[in-house]
Amino acid sequence: MNYRIIFHMAGRVLLAEAGLLVLPLAVSFLYREDCAWAVLASMAVAAVLGGLLTLLARPRSRKFFSREGYIIVALAWVLLSAVGALPFWFSREIPSYADAFFETVSGFTTTGASILTDVEAMSHGLLFWRSFTHWVGGMGVLVLFLALLPRASGAGAVYLMRAELPGPIKDKLVPRVSDTAKLLYSMYIGLTVLETALICTNLVIQGKLLFQDALVDAAFETVSFMTTAGYATTDYTAWPVFSQMILWMLLGRLELMPILVMLSPGTWKER
């Protein structure tokens, strides 16, 4: 068992989470909310822990196999949820760490269960982070990690992708695993942008919100409902928007990897 590579990869995942927290931090600054300090503190914790694990557990060999891959995935999800709960807890918007951890685990696993009774009382920055955990968990943070890792190739990277992705097809479509991950995220981001634009347009046409507010609202809803999870950002959602979300949740059930395999030129070549 290559323990060093396990903790090294876990550290790099925490560093990736520190980067992901930039988005809710930007939303907090946009709305000039006090929760920005809680997000900054959480980023610092993620960066320090990730940096320490990455440096102290620098592997002598970067080779690993399926058992290490499964352990890395399991450990990554636990660490992501443990650190991802900190913004809620630090800000005291969810006073109990156990409740904050439950909310975050529900987000990253796209379960959708919530302990909140008044969603609209939460600040915009943390409301976005709550929904964004769905979006990150929907594809899998290690797939994002592989997409950002410049040298993600070889058997080890394939084992990581197999351990992370659902569905029967878990192989690389192009020579480098990082390129496969980039293709998956290109489709994922494209669908996210399309859904945001359609919901935003619907809200503006109905005259419910101005463009800027409609865009923010649509983005909040999209990153949640795109993964079929359903963290709502308001206590009540109008039926025209709600009906669109039902459609996108149905589309979200489609696995992207089989679609990419079908679209791959080599799939239809005679063998």
Side-chain angles (χ1 to χ4, degrees):
M1 181 75 72
N2 191 343
Y3 292 103
R4 282 183 168 268
I5 193 68
I6 291 172
F7 288 108
H8 180 79
M9 295 290 280
R12 299 193 74 161
V13 167
L14 284 178
L15 291 175
E17 184 172 29
L20 292 173
L21 283 164
V22 170
L23 290 177
L25 180 64
V27 174
S28 300
F29 282 145
L30 178 65
Y31 285 94
R32 300 179 181 178
E33 294 173 329
D34 294 335
C35 69
W37 74 267
V39 181
L40 270 173
S42 304
M43 287 177 65
V45 171
V48 170
L49 287 178
L52 287 174
L53 283 172
T54 303
L55 293 174
L56 297 179
R58 188 170 294 169
R60 298 184 181 90
S61 171
R62 292 186 175 272
K63 291 183 179 180
F64 61 93
F65 301 96
S66 57
R67 60 180 180 178
E68 285 93 345
Y70 284 110
I71 292 174
I72 289 169
V73 169
L75 182 60
W77 284 107
V78 172
L79 290 175
L80 275 172
S81 299
V83 175
L86 293 179
F88 303 117
W89 188 49
F90 284 163
S91 66
R92 311 309 291 173
E93 293 194 22
I94 300 181
S96 167
Y97 179 78
D99 287 344
F101 184 72
F102 177 90
E103 196 78 11
T104 309
V105 170
S106 178
F108 279 124
T109 57
T110 68
T111 305
S114 177
I115 54 91
L116 297 178
T117 56
D118 186 4
V119 175
E120 295 180 16
M122 184 167 280
S123 61
H124 290 85
L126 294 188
L127 202 59
F128 177 78
W129 175 240
R130 177 175 174 265
S131 297
F132 192 54
T133 55
H134 276 332
W135 192 87
V136 174
M139 179 66 74
V141 73
L142 286 175
V143 179
L144 174 62
F145 175 72
L146 291 172
L148 298 176
L149 195 63
R151 296 181 181 179
S153 60
V158 174
Y159 289 132
L160 271 183
M161 182 168 282
R162 286 177 178 174
E164 177 77 325
L165 283 178
I169 301 171
K170 307 183 188 74
D171 211 345
K172 51 184 181 179
L173 302 175
V174 289
R176 298 182 72 88
V177 174
S178 61
D179 292 335
T180 300
K182 287 173 185 175
L183 284 173
L184 289 170
Y185 259 97
S186 295
M187 289 185 65
Y188 197 43
I189 292 171
L191 289 172
T192 302
V193 171
L194 179 60
E195 180 181 353
T196 301
L198 290 175
I199 293 177
C200 177
T201 302
N202 195 352
L203 289 171
V204 172
I205 289 175
Q206 292 178 52
K208 293 185 176 296
L209 296 170
L210 297 176
F211 175 76
Q212 180 179 345
D213 294 330
L215 181 61
V216 171
D217 222 41
F220 279 30
E221 300 286 2
T222 296
V223 293
S224 177
F225 282 85
M226 184 71 203
T227 59
T228 73
Y231 266 168
T233 57
T234 59
D235 294 327
Y236 170 76
T237 302
W239 169 247
V241 176
F242 191 63
S243 59
Q244 271 193 359
M245 291 172 183
I246 292 174
L247 173 63
W248 282 102
M249 283 194 289
L250 290 173
L251 292 175
R253 288 306 303 152
L254 300 176
E255 297 289 351
L256 296 184
M257 182 66 97
I259 293 174
L260 277 180
V261 172
M262 290 175 62
L263 295 177
S264 176
T267 303
W268 306 104
K269 288 181 180 179
E270 293 185 4
R271 298 183 182 274

